[in-house]
Amino acid sequence: EVQLVESGGGLVQVGGSLRLSCIASGFTFDDYAIGWFRQAPGKEREGVLCISSRNGITYLADSVKGRFTISADVAKNTVFLQMNSLKVEDTAVYYCATGGEGSSGRWCPRDYWGQGTQVTVSS
């Protein structure tokens, strides 16, 4: 069973940084695609960054360019979202999602979701 567990959210001031983690289980971490998504109150869920073992970073939202980066620790089955220069508009619940085993050729697959972690940026 594929499972994703996010952590690292919290309250931070404008300009601050947070690093979110997404620990994946239920599939081997050698052929995968994983993405970070977010949903702000009253808004639709949107993509932030996606990465695949085959193609590297496959998606980067314009709103986070130059501020957010994504990386993976294959040995720990973990994907990180480093968020710098945070803005109030980055406030949202952040989710990771994946297509699981064999999904490296897919663009930001969303077959499986984590439970989300809240990020709140205060002014």
Side-chain angles (χ1 to χ4, degrees):
E1 179 185 7
V2 174
Q3 289 189 329
L4 301 172
V5 178
E6 303 98 333
S7 63
L11 174 64
V12 64
Q13 291 188 328
V14 168
S17 297
L18 282 174
R19 189 175 80 156
L20 306 184
S21 300
C22 172
I23 300 176
S25 61
F27 63 101
T28 55
F29 225 59
D30 57 2
D31 182 358
Y32 70 91
I34 285 184
W36 284 98
F37 301 80
R38 67 185 181 184
Q39 188 166 20
K43 295 187 177 181
E44 292 187 356
R45 195 170 298 187
E46 62 177 0
V48 177
L49 270 162
C50 296
I51 189 171
S52 97
S53 57
R54 182 186 302 184
N55 300 311
I57 294 175
T58 55
Y59 177 73
L60 173 61
D62 288 341
S63 58
V64 305
K65 282 181 180 177
R67 301 188 299 121
F68 290 12
T69 58
I70 189 171
S71 62
D73 185 334
V74 175
K76 297 182 179 179
N77 274 32
T78 302
V79 173
F80 302 100
L81 181 67
Q82 178 66 44
M83 307 187 295
N84 300 325
S85 303
L86 283 161
K87 304 177 181 181
V88 171
E89 51 264 42
D90 295 319
T91 296
V93 178
Y94 283 73
Y95 302 87
C96 59
T98 185
E101 184 75 34
S103 62
S104 63
R106 296 172 58 192
W107 183 80
C108 294
R110 284 151 277 181
D111 304 80
Y112 307 95
W113 291 90
Q115 82 288 349
T117 185
Q118 175 71 47
V119 171
T120 303
V121 185
S122 65
S123 58

